[in-house]
Amino acid sequence: MSDEFTLKVWRGDKSGGQEVEYHVPAETGMVVLDALHHIQHNQAPDLAVRWNCKAAHCGSCGAEVNGQPKLLCKTRMDDYAGETVSVRPMQTFPVIKDLVTDVSWNYQVAKEIPLLEPTSPAPFKMQQIDADRVQEFHRCIECFLCQDTCHVLRNHEGQQKYFGPRFMAKIAEFEMHPMDGEDRIPLLAHQAGLNMCNVTKCCTEVCPQHIRITDNAIIPLKERVADRYYDPIKILLRRLGGKKGEPGKANTPVAN
Amino acid sequence: MAHETYETHEYDIIVIGAGGSGLRAAVEASQVPGLKVAVITKSLLGKAHTVMAEGGVAASFGNLDAPDGWETHFYDTMRSGHFINNYRMAEIFAKEAPDRVLELESWGAVFDRTQEGRIMQRPFGAHSFRRLCHIGDHTGLELIRTMQYKAIHSGIDVFQEVTMTKLLVHNGRVAGAFGYFREDGRFVLFRARAVVLATGGWGKIFKVTSNSWESTGDGAALAFRAGANLMDMEMVQFHPTGMVWPPGVRGILVTEGVRGEGGLLYNSEGERFMQKYDPERMELSSRDVVARSIFKEAQAGRGTPHGGAWLDISHKGPEYVKAKLPGMYEQFLTLADLDITKERFEVAPTCHYTMGGLRVDPETCATNLPGLFAAGEVACGLHGANRLGGNSLSDLLVFGRRAGMGASEYVNGGDGFAPIDDSELQQEMDRVLEPFHREDGVNPYHVHERLQEIMTNHAGIMRSGPVLEEGLNKLLELKEEARNMGINGSRIYNPGWHAVFDVENMILLCEGIIRSALERKESRGAHWRTDFPDELPEWQKINFVESYDEGKIRIRTEPVNEMPENLAKLFTYGKAPGLAKQAGGKES
């Protein structure tokens, strides 16, 4: 290992900025956040970087390391041995300063998702096998790296059309909860914009919690929407029955 | 200096802090019709230190061990607190914890399940029964996320990334709080009829700590300066098992769940050394005992290469470890290149929790300052001299709710908004902006590092009178120097600026800790004095209470409340009440 690391850190605010080069002494097992702290404590006290736990539990320190969305506290400097490490803010969100971005849009979206509506009061009787299915989504630390990488949000500015992968996992968490009685399928089909996702799995790839967002949340939710709205037999039955408006939840399987 | 302005918001109740207790308090208050409630946090929503809790939330359901009940949970809590706890807080806590956990379940938390489909409970240090409801090893994340979504659907306004610098008081009554938005440094006044503090602890006073950036004791310091009393400040918990290697991860928590799930501790000679210190409970002894044992082994030359002990869970097999401790598996693999399903790993004590804090009324969480309430780690009384693992999360829920109720009742029965003194705010804005004008100012990060060094060397896991005295002198020197902390850059999201106030708060609380530690001339729970190594009965009767008066800390003793007969009886069976009941009520 060489004695020092070289980093290029994006410095600036909404009026603009550029990469600034820093050198920090190398230490065994150092993560990118350690290097940034060294810069902050000794060279640039006003360097803005969000962080809380430094243990990959809180999801505050998402940024782009050599172009890849990463948690700074979990990304080792020695993964880039011999390279200059470039650290930039998440591109999908408006920058506030340096590595800190305005992620408030995500908190607005979160308010749109109806909570669990239990079909009976707690304590619930629930088997581990049923819990397993939703517990995967509960591992989410809301780092928003999936939102950052989702091309609908990143390249097509689809914030008005699509809630993004984080919130597909959140909706799945409630929809697949064995005790839930709420119906979020119309929300998915319309306002949440589930159809915007074309299943490229980029969100799954960057998830630091290894949640299989596309396979286990988005695709099953797409199936539920398709069952509800596009099943030809059901459409026919609805027509024969003369029903109008929104198809009811009773038509959808509870689990698949 | 140019005339500064501030924006004003008015709420019936503001909750400062958005961890488990703050969110629970806000949700409770929001259910009272007509009350306007806001939560103010210095981080983003959902990032508070609660997220770091791993092992579980303690509640005596008895889903696996039927004889468990509130009496035994109460008994374990008092016993581990070495009886300087407020018994009434412990009683309320033990009785109400199960309902609070079920509430979480109905709001969307999904705990691990038993064969019968009920909430799974795991064993933990010094709990008489399997009691910790959990979701793998990320129970705190589950708690905060559930509360966060409940809160944003409860009509509560949330202000994120706000630094509060002053608690406002008018004629001895709380009037609100003042501070600035981190995003752009603009000042903000929150007028409020009641304030709930839920700002957590101050574990960042030590270098080796499991605590996140936020744990700088802001709420405790603000309230202390405003006239609220602190208690049991000498009581700081060191968790026995923090990561040790590599250097960057030193202090990061290794959940007690590793030992709860069967992990074993060894010294460098391959000996299960807990045999010597607590042969009955072994690895699952209370945290103070296990932390001290690891420390003593290392001091005696039987430590691991980096001065800790070995912890081994590999005998449970990869499948089990990955299912029950997925976070730990990932944490070691990523940060230490180590597979805990195959290898043992090094652990050493790390600062984890502050038992001391604002003295509160057990029923309402009211402090001595009218209109000010406190819940969670910032409050004091439940845990005594040592906190049980898993009791923190249920503490947040039980007393978060009670603080929300207490504040609502106070507001409904009380007066309107207290007046605000504009000149006081002008002065405060000048003070807060001063670090920008000190061109040769001291770097706040370096002051913080030196503070941590003083606390580690003088007021850490092992203490003695002369060493504490020396530490106090060094601290007072540093306090003087810190008056000159300065920073550069703009007011837009400037962490150096924010650090100035964090450091000021920590310095104040550290002085409180050292002064209290000097007064308690015995060893009790987490407070270990080598010059007074024994736990002495007469010291069990008192708590040290601190007040702040014209820039000086005053310290006095208050009697520990005596338990009524029905509770005192629980300690006469010679074993935990549930175990006594199991044995047919016979004493052993």
PDB file of all heavy atoms in Angstrom, chain B residues 193-218:
ATOM      1  N   ARG B 193     -45.485  26.257  23.310  1.00  0.00           N
ATOM      2  CA  ARG B 193     -46.023  26.280  24.675  1.00  0.00           C
ATOM      3  C   ARG B 193     -45.400  25.170  25.507  1.00  0.00           C
ATOM      4  O   ARG B 193     -45.367  25.244  26.726  1.00  0.00           O
ATOM      5  CB  ARG B 193     -47.544  26.151  24.609  1.00  0.00           C
ATOM      6  CG  ARG B 193     -48.177  27.359  23.877  1.00  0.00           C
ATOM      7  CD  ARG B 193     -49.565  27.062  23.393  1.00  0.00           C
ATOM      8  NE  ARG B 193     -50.512  27.051  24.500  1.00  0.00           N
ATOM      9  CZ  ARG B 193     -51.726  26.517  24.422  1.00  0.00           C
ATOM     10  NH1 ARG B 193     -52.117  25.927  23.289  1.00  0.00           N
ATOM     11  NH2 ARG B 193     -52.536  26.532  25.453  1.00  0.00           N
ATOM     12  N   ALA B 194     -44.937  24.139  24.838  1.00  0.00           N
ATOM     13  CA  ALA B 194     -44.185  23.086  25.541  1.00  0.00           C
ATOM     14  C   ALA B 194     -43.121  22.541  24.598  1.00  0.00           C
ATOM     15  O   ALA B 194     -43.307  22.543  23.379  1.00  0.00           O
ATOM     16  CB  ALA B 194     -45.108  21.968  25.993  1.00  0.00           C
ATOM     17  N   VAL B 195     -42.012  22.109  25.180  1.00  0.00           N
ATOM     18  CA  VAL B 195     -40.911  21.539  24.399  1.00  0.00           C
ATOM     19  C   VAL B 195     -40.603  20.149  24.949  1.00  0.00           C
ATOM     20  O   VAL B 195     -40.467  19.970  26.165  1.00  0.00           O
ATOM     21  CB  VAL B 195     -39.639  22.418  24.509  1.00  0.00           C
ATOM     22  CG1 VAL B 195     -38.462  21.758  23.794  1.00  0.00           C
ATOM     23  CG2 VAL B 195     -39.898  23.814  23.932  1.00  0.00           C
ATOM     24  N   VAL B 196     -40.536  19.175  24.043  1.00  0.00           N
ATOM     25  CA  VAL B 196     -40.088  17.839  24.441  1.00  0.00           C
ATOM     26  C   VAL B 196     -38.675  17.652  23.908  1.00  0.00           C
ATOM     27  O   VAL B 196     -38.436  17.791  22.707  1.00  0.00           O
ATOM     28  CB  VAL B 196     -41.005  16.726  23.877  1.00  0.00           C
ATOM     29  CG1 VAL B 196     -40.468  15.353  24.260  1.00  0.00           C
ATOM     30  CG2 VAL B 196     -42.433  16.902  24.368  1.00  0.00           C
ATOM     31  N   LEU B 197     -37.751  17.345  24.793  1.00  0.00           N
ATOM     32  CA  LEU B 197     -36.380  17.056  24.356  1.00  0.00           C
ATOM     33  C   LEU B 197     -36.229  15.557  24.182  1.00  0.00           C
ATOM     34  O   LEU B 197     -36.533  14.785  25.098  1.00  0.00           O
ATOM     35  CB  LEU B 197     -35.377  17.558  25.391  1.00  0.00           C
ATOM     36  CG  LEU B 197     -35.157  19.062  25.456  1.00  0.00           C
ATOM     37  CD1 LEU B 197     -34.146  19.380  26.539  1.00  0.00           C
ATOM     38  CD2 LEU B 197     -34.683  19.597  24.113  1.00  0.00           C
ATOM     39  N   ALA B 198     -35.759  15.171  23.020  1.00  0.00           N
ATOM     40  CA  ALA B 198     -35.529  13.748  22.743  1.00  0.00           C
ATOM     41  C   ALA B 198     -34.261  13.683  21.905  1.00  0.00           C
ATOM     42  O   ALA B 198     -34.241  13.160  20.804  1.00  0.00           O
ATOM     43  CB  ALA B 198     -36.722  13.167  22.004  1.00  0.00           C
ATOM     44  N   THR B 199     -33.213  14.268  22.453  1.00  0.00           N
ATOM     45  CA  THR B 199     -31.998  14.508  21.667  1.00  0.00           C
ATOM     46  C   THR B 199     -30.917  13.463  21.894  1.00  0.00           C
ATOM     47  O   THR B 199     -29.816  13.614  21.374  1.00  0.00           O
ATOM     48  CB  THR B 199     -31.429  15.889  22.025  1.00  0.00           C
ATOM     49  OG1 THR B 199     -31.341  15.971  23.449  1.00  0.00           O
ATOM     50  CG2 THR B 199     -32.338  17.001  21.546  1.00  0.00           C
ATOM     51  N   GLY B 200     -31.226  12.419  22.688  1.00  0.00           N
ATOM     52  CA  GLY B 200     -30.266  11.344  22.840  1.00  0.00           C
ATOM     53  C   GLY B 200     -29.115  11.680  23.766  1.00  0.00           C
ATOM     54  O   GLY B 200     -29.153  12.645  24.536  1.00  0.00           O
ATOM     55  N   GLY B 201     -28.052  10.864  23.660  1.00  0.00           N
ATOM     56  CA  GLY B 201     -26.943  10.939  24.621  1.00  0.00           C
ATOM     57  C   GLY B 201     -25.742  11.701  24.098  1.00  0.00           C
ATOM     58  O   GLY B 201     -25.850  12.502  23.168  1.00  0.00           O
ATOM     59  N   TRP B 202     -24.584  11.445  24.713  1.00  0.00           N
ATOM     60  CA  TRP B 202     -23.382  12.202  24.368  1.00  0.00           C
ATOM     61  C   TRP B 202     -22.161  11.285  24.249  1.00  0.00           C
ATOM     62  O   TRP B 202     -21.070  11.603  24.697  1.00  0.00           O
ATOM     63  CB  TRP B 202     -23.120  13.331  25.376  1.00  0.00           C
ATOM     64  CG  TRP B 202     -23.495  13.002  26.809  1.00  0.00           C
ATOM     65  CD1 TRP B 202     -22.660  12.564  27.800  1.00  0.00           C
ATOM     66  CD2 TRP B 202     -24.799  13.109  27.399  1.00  0.00           C
ATOM     67  NE1 TRP B 202     -23.371  12.385  28.958  1.00  0.00           N
ATOM     68  CE2 TRP B 202     -24.670  12.712  28.743  1.00  0.00           C
ATOM     69  CE3 TRP B 202     -26.058  13.493  26.918  1.00  0.00           C
ATOM     70  CZ2 TRP B 202     -25.773  12.684  29.618  1.00  0.00           C
ATOM     71  CZ3 TRP B 202     -27.147  13.458  27.787  1.00  0.00           C
ATOM     72  CH2 TRP B 202     -26.993  13.072  29.114  1.00  0.00           C
ATOM     73  N   GLY B 203     -22.387  10.142  23.605  1.00  0.00           N
ATOM     74  CA  GLY B 203     -21.315   9.148  23.459  1.00  0.00           C
ATOM     75  C   GLY B 203     -20.141   9.606  22.621  1.00  0.00           C
ATOM     76  O   GLY B 203     -19.083   8.961  22.634  1.00  0.00           O
ATOM     77  N   LYS B 204     -20.282  10.738  21.906  1.00  0.00           N
ATOM     78  CA  LYS B 204     -19.143  11.211  21.100  1.00  0.00           C
ATOM     79  C   LYS B 204     -18.070  11.884  21.950  1.00  0.00           C
ATOM     80  O   LYS B 204     -17.090  12.397  21.416  1.00  0.00           O
ATOM     81  CB  LYS B 204     -19.622  12.194  20.014  1.00  0.00           C
ATOM     82  CG  LYS B 204     -20.317  11.530  18.843  1.00  0.00           C
ATOM     83  CD  LYS B 204     -19.532  10.424  18.207  1.00  0.00           C
ATOM     84  CE  LYS B 204     -18.707  10.864  17.035  1.00  0.00           C
ATOM     85  NZ  LYS B 204     -18.093   9.681  16.349  1.00  0.00           N
ATOM     86  N   ILE B 205     -18.243  11.903  23.265  1.00  0.00           N
ATOM     87  CA  ILE B 205     -17.189  12.447  24.127  1.00  0.00           C
ATOM     88  C   ILE B 205     -15.997  11.496  24.200  1.00  0.00           C
ATOM     89  O   ILE B 205     -14.943  11.880  24.689  1.00  0.00           O
ATOM     90  CB  ILE B 205     -17.704  12.759  25.558  1.00  0.00           C
ATOM     91  CG1 ILE B 205     -18.254  11.502  26.219  1.00  0.00           C
ATOM     92  CG2 ILE B 205     -18.772  13.860  25.507  1.00  0.00           C
ATOM     93  CD1 ILE B 205     -18.632  11.687  27.673  1.00  0.00           C
ATOM     94  N   PHE B 206     -16.182  10.257  23.745  1.00  0.00           N
ATOM     95  CA  PHE B 206     -15.060   9.309  23.699  1.00  0.00           C
ATOM     96  C   PHE B 206     -14.681   9.025  22.251  1.00  0.00           C
ATOM     97  O   PHE B 206     -15.537   9.069  21.371  1.00  0.00           O
ATOM     98  CB  PHE B 206     -15.438   8.005  24.401  1.00  0.00           C
ATOM     99  CG  PHE B 206     -15.515   8.145  25.894  1.00  0.00           C
ATOM    100  CD1 PHE B 206     -16.722   8.415  26.510  1.00  0.00           C
ATOM    101  CD2 PHE B 206     -14.371   8.044  26.680  1.00  0.00           C
ATOM    102  CE1 PHE B 206     -16.796   8.581  27.888  1.00  0.00           C
ATOM    103  CE2 PHE B 206     -14.438   8.205  28.052  1.00  0.00           C
ATOM    104  CZ  PHE B 206     -15.649   8.474  28.663  1.00  0.00           C
ATOM    105  N   LYS B 207     -13.407   8.745  22.056  1.00  0.00           N
ATOM    106  CA  LYS B 207     -12.938   8.446  20.709  1.00  0.00           C
ATOM    107  C   LYS B 207     -13.455   7.088  20.257  1.00  0.00           C
ATOM    108  O   LYS B 207     -13.966   6.939  19.152  1.00  0.00           O
ATOM    109  CB  LYS B 207     -11.415   8.480  20.644  1.00  0.00           C
ATOM    110  CG  LYS B 207     -10.875   8.231  19.254  1.00  0.00           C
ATOM    111  CD  LYS B 207      -9.406   8.617  19.157  1.00  0.00           C
ATOM    112  CE  LYS B 207      -8.776   8.107  17.881  1.00  0.00           C
ATOM    113  NZ  LYS B 207      -9.543   8.411  16.678  1.00  0.00           N
ATOM    114  N   VAL B 208     -13.278   6.106  21.162  1.00  0.00           N
ATOM    115  CA  VAL B 208     -13.777   4.772  20.829  1.00  0.00           C
ATOM    116  C   VAL B 208     -15.221   4.713  21.286  1.00  0.00           C
ATOM    117  O   VAL B 208     -15.515   4.609  22.472  1.00  0.00           O
ATOM    118  CB  VAL B 208     -12.930   3.680  21.502  1.00  0.00           C
ATOM    119  CG1 VAL B 208     -13.512   2.301  21.196  1.00  0.00           C
ATOM    120  CG2 VAL B 208     -11.499   3.767  21.019  1.00  0.00           C
ATOM    121  N   THR B 209     -16.125   4.801  20.327  1.00  0.00           N
ATOM    122  CA  THR B 209     -17.544   4.876  20.658  1.00  0.00           C
ATOM    123  C   THR B 209     -18.366   4.195  19.580  1.00  0.00           C
ATOM    124  O   THR B 209     -17.978   4.169  18.421  1.00  0.00           O
ATOM    125  CB  THR B 209     -17.987   6.359  20.802  1.00  0.00           C
ATOM    126  OG1 THR B 209     -19.388   6.405  21.055  1.00  0.00           O
ATOM    127  CG2 THR B 209     -17.701   7.168  19.545  1.00  0.00           C
ATOM    128  N   SER B 210     -19.495   3.659  20.003  1.00  0.00           N
ATOM    129  CA  SER B 210     -20.414   3.066  19.030  1.00  0.00           C
ATOM    130  C   SER B 210     -21.396   4.123  18.540  1.00  0.00           C
ATOM    131  O   SER B 210     -22.243   3.845  17.722  1.00  0.00           O
ATOM    132  CB  SER B 210     -21.195   1.932  19.692  1.00  0.00           C
ATOM    133  OG  SER B 210     -22.048   2.462  20.693  1.00  0.00           O
ATOM    134  N   ASN B 211     -21.260   5.322  19.071  1.00  0.00           N
ATOM    135  CA  ASN B 211     -22.278   6.350  18.805  1.00  0.00           C
ATOM    136  C   ASN B 211     -22.055   7.045  17.483  1.00  0.00           C
ATOM    137  O   ASN B 211     -20.925   7.251  17.044  1.00  0.00           O
ATOM    138  CB  ASN B 211     -22.280   7.380  19.925  1.00  0.00           C
ATOM    139  CG  ASN B 211     -23.028   6.899  21.169  1.00  0.00           C
ATOM    140  OD1 ASN B 211     -23.505   7.698  21.942  1.00  0.00           O
ATOM    141  ND2 ASN B 211     -23.131   5.587  21.346  1.00  0.00           N
ATOM    142  N   SER B 212     -23.172   7.466  16.884  1.00  0.00           N
ATOM    143  CA  SER B 212     -23.085   8.165  15.617  1.00  0.00           C
ATOM    144  C   SER B 212     -22.730   9.628  15.866  1.00  0.00           C
ATOM    145  O   SER B 212     -22.724  10.099  17.003  1.00  0.00           O
ATOM    146  CB  SER B 212     -24.406   8.045  14.856  1.00  0.00           C
ATOM    147  OG  SER B 212     -25.382   8.889  15.405  1.00  0.00           O
ATOM    148  N   TRP B 213     -22.477  10.332  14.778  1.00  0.00           N
ATOM    149  CA  TRP B 213     -22.054  11.716  14.821  1.00  0.00           C
ATOM    150  C   TRP B 213     -22.925  12.590  15.709  1.00  0.00           C
ATOM    151  O   TRP B 213     -22.468  13.542  16.329  1.00  0.00           O
ATOM    152  CB  TRP B 213     -22.065  12.237  13.379  1.00  0.00           C
ATOM    153  CG  TRP B 213     -22.328  13.684  13.291  1.00  0.00           C
ATOM    154  CD1 TRP B 213     -21.402  14.664  13.453  1.00  0.00           C
ATOM    155  CD2 TRP B 213     -23.582  14.337  13.074  1.00  0.00           C
ATOM    156  NE1 TRP B 213     -22.001  15.888  13.342  1.00  0.00           N
ATOM    157  CE2 TRP B 213     -23.336  15.723  13.109  1.00  0.00           C
ATOM    158  CE3 TRP B 213     -24.879  13.890  12.851  1.00  0.00           C
ATOM    159  CZ2 TRP B 213     -24.351  16.659  12.934  1.00  0.00           C
ATOM    160  CZ3 TRP B 213     -25.889  14.821  12.677  1.00  0.00           C
ATOM    161  CH2 TRP B 213     -25.615  16.187  12.717  1.00  0.00           C
ATOM    162  N   GLU B 214     -24.220  12.233  15.772  1.00  0.00           N
ATOM    163  CA  GLU B 214     -25.183  13.107  16.422  1.00  0.00           C
ATOM    164  C   GLU B 214     -25.087  13.153  17.935  1.00  0.00           C
ATOM    165  O   GLU B 214     -25.603  14.085  18.538  1.00  0.00           O
ATOM    166  CB  GLU B 214     -26.588  12.585  16.130  1.00  0.00           C
ATOM    167  CG  GLU B 214     -26.948  12.592  14.705  1.00  0.00           C
ATOM    168  CD  GLU B 214     -28.413  12.273  14.577  1.00  0.00           C
ATOM    169  OE1 GLU B 214     -28.813  11.176  14.989  1.00  0.00           O
ATOM    170  OE2 GLU B 214     -29.141  13.111  14.089  1.00  0.00           O
ATOM    171  N   SER B 215     -24.495  12.133  18.539  1.00  0.00           N
ATOM    172  CA  SER B 215     -24.594  11.989  19.998  1.00  0.00           C
ATOM    173  C   SER B 215     -23.662  12.951  20.716  1.00  0.00           C
ATOM    174  O   SER B 215     -22.639  12.568  21.269  1.00  0.00           O
ATOM    175  CB  SER B 215     -24.300  10.549  20.393  1.00  0.00           C
ATOM    176  OG  SER B 215     -25.200   9.693  19.750  1.00  0.00           O
ATOM    177  N   THR B 216     -24.043  14.242  20.678  1.00  0.00           N
ATOM    178  CA  THR B 216     -23.204  15.267  21.289  1.00  0.00           C
ATOM    179  C   THR B 216     -23.917  15.964  22.449  1.00  0.00           C
ATOM    180  O   THR B 216     -23.479  17.014  22.908  1.00  0.00           O
ATOM    181  CB  THR B 216     -22.766  16.302  20.233  1.00  0.00           C
ATOM    182  OG1 THR B 216     -23.938  16.820  19.581  1.00  0.00           O
ATOM    183  CG2 THR B 216     -21.872  15.684  19.187  1.00  0.00           C
ATOM    184  N   GLY B 217     -25.023  15.392  22.888  1.00  0.00           N
ATOM    185  CA  GLY B 217     -25.679  15.884  24.102  1.00  0.00           C
ATOM    186  C   GLY B 217     -26.265  17.279  24.002  1.00  0.00           C
ATOM    187  O   GLY B 217     -26.379  17.975  25.014  1.00  0.00           O
ATOM    188  N   ASP B 218     -26.683  17.683  22.808  1.00  0.00           N
ATOM    189  CA  ASP B 218     -27.164  19.059  22.629  1.00  0.00           C
ATOM    190  C   ASP B 218     -28.346  19.395  23.547  1.00  0.00           C
ATOM    191  O   ASP B 218     -28.352  20.439  24.201  1.00  0.00           O
ATOM    192  CB  ASP B 218     -27.602  19.289  21.175  1.00  0.00           C
ATOM    193  CG  ASP B 218     -26.513  18.934  20.189  1.00  0.00           C
ATOM    194  OD1 ASP B 218     -25.360  18.780  20.629  1.00  0.00           O
ATOM    195  OD2 ASP B 218     -26.811  18.804  18.992  1.00  0.00           O
TER     196      ASP B 218
END
